Amino acid sequence: MNPAVDPTLHLRPMQAPDLDAVMACERANYEFPWQEEVFVECLRVGYNCWVAELGRVVVAHGVMSVGADECHILNLCVHPHFQRLGFGRRLLRRLLGLARRRGADTAFLEVRVSNQGARGLYAAEGFCEIGTRRGYYPARNGREDAVVLALAL
């Protein structure tokens, strides 16, 4: 995957035409990706759905709900070819900034116990572990636990 002419990372709201690229990113990252219908529904109900583009290539996406003074990061995904370049951090910070502007005072998310890269990013951004959801994620040999994280905004 080669970024198109402009190498500048651009963050913008996700649109329906982005879903092919978003789904390609999901499938490249996860054995059990979100289904496209989930993204369609998130867009329909007005969740904060964003993409990060490098040139004209979608390299990351995120989905967040905001309500009742809190936000929930539901999905944050960076294509494997573009991980560890700060794109996930920039997208996370954009989502958290949007949540603050909408009056949220706490951010929550779940992350696979095995996803050390994401857990490192969230810890570096100030998230703290507040619990575990047993068997939360599908896994090849059954289910995998999720670590529940929170951040005071």
Side-chain angles (χ1 to χ4, degrees):
M1 182 182 305
N2 289 330
V5 177
D6 180 7
T8 304
L9 189 72
H10 175 65
L11 304 177
R12 64 168 175 78
M14 184 188 298
Q15 301 171 5
D18 297 318
L19 291 179
D20 286 344
V22 166
M23 291 309 302
C25 185
E26 283 280 310
R27 287 189 294 275
N29 271 289
Y30 306 124
E31 187 172 1
F32 300 94
W34 274 21
Q35 298 298 308
E36 185 171 348
E37 297 80 23
V38 176
F39 288 102
V40 169
E41 184 64 10
C42 289
L43 286 167
R44 187 189 71 75
V45 299
Y47 284 176
N48 293 274
C49 303
W50 284 68
V51 295
E53 289 182 313
L54 191 59
R56 291 184 302 238
V57 176
V58 172
V59 298
H61 59 273
V63 177
M64 175 184 70
S65 65
V66 181
D69 300 330
E70 63 186 46
C71 75
H72 195 142
I73 306 291
L74 302 169
N75 188 315
L76 186 68
C77 181
V78 179
H79 193 283
H81 293 141
F82 299 96
Q83 291 178 356
R84 307 217 185 284
L85 298 173
F87 301 157
R89 182 180 313 274
R90 285 193 49 199
L91 186 54
L92 175 63
R93 287 178 177 175
R94 172 64 55 92
L95 292 173
L96 294 174
L98 292 168
R100 284 183 188 97
R101 285 194 287 284
R102 297 219 18 226
D105 56 28
T106 307
F108 296 97
L109 61 84
E110 292 86 17
V111 61
R112 284 181 184 269
V113 169
S114 64
N115 191 341
Q116 294 303 315
R119 291 178 69 181
L121 166 65
Y122 298 136
E125 290 299 308
F127 280 86
C128 297
E129 185 174 332
I130 61 167
T132 302
R133 295 193 196 280
R134 301 276 178 226
Y136 187 76
Y137 290 107
R140 180 172 292 171
N141 297 314
R143 309 287 298 177
E144 181 177 356
D145 293 347
V147 177
V148 182
L149 303 174
L151 173 70
L153 299 175

